[in-house]
Structures are given as structure tokens and as C-alpha cells.
Amino acid sequence: MPELEGKPWRDIFYGSFDDLRLHARHYPAPDDRFRSVICLPGLTRNARDFHTLATYLSTHPETPRNVYCLDYRGRGRSQHDSNWRNYVPYIELLDTLDFLTVQGLHRVGVVGTSRGGIIAMMMAAFRPTAMGAVVLNDIGPVIETRGLARIVGYVGRMPVPKTWADAVMIMREINGRGFPEFSDAQWDQMARGVFEERKGRLVLSYDRKLGRAIGTVDLSRPLPDMWPQFVALGQVPAFVLRGANSDVLSAETLETMVERHPNLRAMTVPDQGHAPMLQEQEPVEAIGAFFAVND
């Protein structure tokens, strides 16, 4: 197993079914006593989003657990796909299941932010024995068209910033309404999850062709709902976080989720939109407590 080299995670690379080189971060625990957790990011996001949560879960003094944070194909340190039509949840689900097989992981805890939560719901229907508990971060079986239209409008179309200050300004313009109380440091942290430095220049941390894939969505009609996939989650404990300002997961949908799931708890994150960043103490500790009582 590779050494940590002064950082709290190990980098793992594995091959997809179609021979792409995919990446994940492993935040190791001292042993395997407690349920391992995989973290699945949002559409354009990557493993870096979960650093605070993964560090907390893997070093918890009472329930330290192995945490794996995945980069989907075309995101983060994973290889881009030459066929942009493969940037869809089903293919990303297959990549995630392949990762679980390679690592010998079963009945894992899943933290799914946005796109990651869609993949988690699909996993419950496709391979129910893969997970043992799930956290859905600002996603449910009904996606609000208003929020989806906002996302479609910027994916793959962002200008490339020349400086980190420019990157922060772009993040504020896109997400300012959802995160009105964010500090400069929080905006900077968000920007550093979307952009990265390569050869002295800032570039997107995802394949721009992802915009072509999401652009195929017909915004003139509601997306098909995922209630059947959500119902499949009924076999495992669930925890749903919703940003109070979310334009993707409505309060009404969350209320129905609570009604339809036999073992679901919910939390609203104040002053945040889509999706809560999982870097503040309250949601991070709440997720830790949820997994601790559902090992």
C-alpha cells in the first residue's frame, strides 16, 4: 500500500471497464472495525470536496473509518473520456461499483452530493447489497427545473480565470444567491474545488465536454422522477441534508422523502444553497454521528 507522504490520504488509481485510469483518495483508519465510507461528488466536482469530512471520519477518536473519495471519469485526477456521451450517471455508477469490487468493499456507507446522490439511489436499485447506510447531500428523487437550468447554464461554459481572485469572482457570480453568508475564505475554497493550477495556469478540474452531456437535458419538460430508486433506499438508514436556499431539492420533496422512507432523518443547513459544502462543524459532525449509530 502506498505511503501517505505527509498528507492524510493515499492516492489510488484503478482501471475502468473501458480502460480509463480513474482516481480516488483513501483516508485510512487504523483498522476495519467500522463501516467504510465512499464519497461521491457533484456533477463537476471531485474528491477534494470531501477533505474536511473524510479527515474527520477517518481520524474520529471513537469510530475511525476508512473513507474513499472518488473522482468520476473526466473529473479531478481521473482520465477524460474521449466519448462525452459516457458522462452519464449509469456509467459513473458502473465505475463506482468497479471501485468497490477492486477494493473488496461491501455494505459501505455512501455520501452522495447532488450527482453522487443520484448514483447512490441507482446503486440501491442496481446492487442493494453494496451499501449499508446513505447520506444524500441536497438531492432527492425530484430535481427542480430552476436549479437544473442554472447548472446547465454554466457547466463547460465558465471563463478560464487568470488569477485565483478571478476564480473566486466567478464562483460568487454563479452561486452568490445560494450562499449569501459565505466568507472570502469559503469562496476561495469553493473555487479551488472547481479550478486547479497546471503549468502555472488555472484550468477547470473537469472535462469541458461534460457541458455537452448535460446539455442534452430537455429543460422544457420536468425530468423523470426517481421515486422507484429512492424507495429502494428504504432498506438502509438514510440521512438527507438540504441547503436552506437550495434550488435543486425543494422543501416539499424533502418532506415527501421523510414520509416515504421508514428510517430517514433530515437536516437543513442554513444560509447555503446547492449543495452544502460539508466543511462546517455542524453538518460534518452530524454525518459522523449518523454513521456511528448505523454501523
Side-chain angles (χ1 to χ4, degrees):
M1 183 175 287
E3 295 299 318
L4 294 182
E5 299 176 352
K7 57 184 187 291
W9 72 86
R10 299 182 176 97
D11 291 305
I12 296 174
F13 292 92
Y14 69 105
S16 69
F17 66 91
D18 51 355
D19 297 324
L20 292 184
R21 189 171 188 254
L22 305 182
H23 170 260
R25 285 183 176 188
H26 173 208
Y27 291 75
D31 52 51
D32 297 323
R33 284 180 299 155
F34 301 102
R35 188 190 306 279
S36 294
V37 169
I38 64 167
C39 297
L40 305 177
L43 175 67
T44 64
R45 310 291 297 189
N46 55 70
R48 300 196 295 273
D49 276 359
F50 297 106
H51 175 72
T52 299
L53 175 64
T55 301
Y56 177 83
L57 293 176
S58 63
T59 61
H60 193 279
E62 297 176 2
T63 56
R65 60 188 76 245
N66 287 284
V67 182
Y68 302 86
C69 307
L70 276 61
D71 285 339
Y72 308 131
R73 57 179 62 206
R75 283 80 138 192
R77 298 185 64 186
S78 287
Q79 186 178 349
H80 291 190
D81 196 316
S82 60
N83 181 3
W84 59 265
R85 291 178 178 83
N86 286 334
Y87 292 141
V88 293
Y90 175 69
I91 297 295
E92 292 152 11
L93 168 65
L94 296 183
D95 291 340
T96 301
L97 293 174
D98 284 348
F99 178 81
L100 295 180
T101 299
V102 168
Q103 296 298 316
L105 298 172
H106 309 280
R107 297 201 174 278
V108 294
V110 180
V111 179
T113 293
S114 192
R115 176 79 148 221
I118 291 173
I119 293 169
M121 287 186 280
M122 294 172 64
M123 186 187 300
F126 193 82
R127 190 181 294 177
T129 58
M131 72 170 66
V134 63
V135 176
L136 301 179
N137 183 21
D138 211 61
I139 192 68
V142 177
I143 297 174
E144 298 300 307
T145 303
R146 179 167 59 95
L148 182 60
R150 180 180 58 81
I151 293 168
V152 170
Y154 73 73
V155 174
R157 302 177 185 179
M158 282 188 195
V160 177
K162 293 183 178 180
T163 66
W164 281 113
D166 290 342
V168 167
M169 185 175 67
I170 292 169
M171 291 295 97
R172 284 181 186 269
E173 289 176 354
I174 293 172
N175 298 294
R177 184 175 297 179
F179 299 84
E181 302 300 322
F182 254 26
S183 66
D184 291 344
Q186 287 172 307
W187 285 118
D188 183 78
Q189 197 166 22
M190 182 184 283
R192 291 177 187 273
V194 175
F195 300 99
E196 59 188 69
E197 287 192 50
R198 291 184 196 162
K199 299 179 180 178
R201 301 178 63 183
L202 294 185
V203 297
L204 285 169
S205 289
Y206 65 88
D207 186 352
R208 277 191 178 274
K209 292 178 183 175
L210 190 59
R212 297 181 68 181
I214 194 70
T216 62
V217 174
D218 183 358
L219 294 173
S220 69
R221 61 183 66 187
L223 278 181
D225 68 54
M226 295 186 66
W227 285 114
Q229 291 83 358
F230 175 77
V231 168
L233 283 178
Q235 65 186 325
V236 299
F239 181 29
V240 180
L241 293 92
R242 177 181 181 268
N245 302 327
S246 177
D247 58 2
V248 170
L249 175 60
S250 71
E252 292 76 16
T253 295
L254 178 56
E255 185 177 336
T256 306
M257 292 166 70
V258 173
E259 293 171 355
R260 292 196 183 187
H261 193 290
N263 186 11
L264 184 148
R265 59 170 296 203
M267 173 181 178
T268 298
V269 182
D271 298 319
Q272 296 205 24
H274 182 77
M277 293 293 288
L278 304 187
Q279 291 158 356
E280 296 181 351
Q281 182 176 354
E282 187 175 5
V284 166
E285 290 185 350
I287 292 171
F290 167 75
F291 283 128
V293 299
N294 289 294
D295 272 317

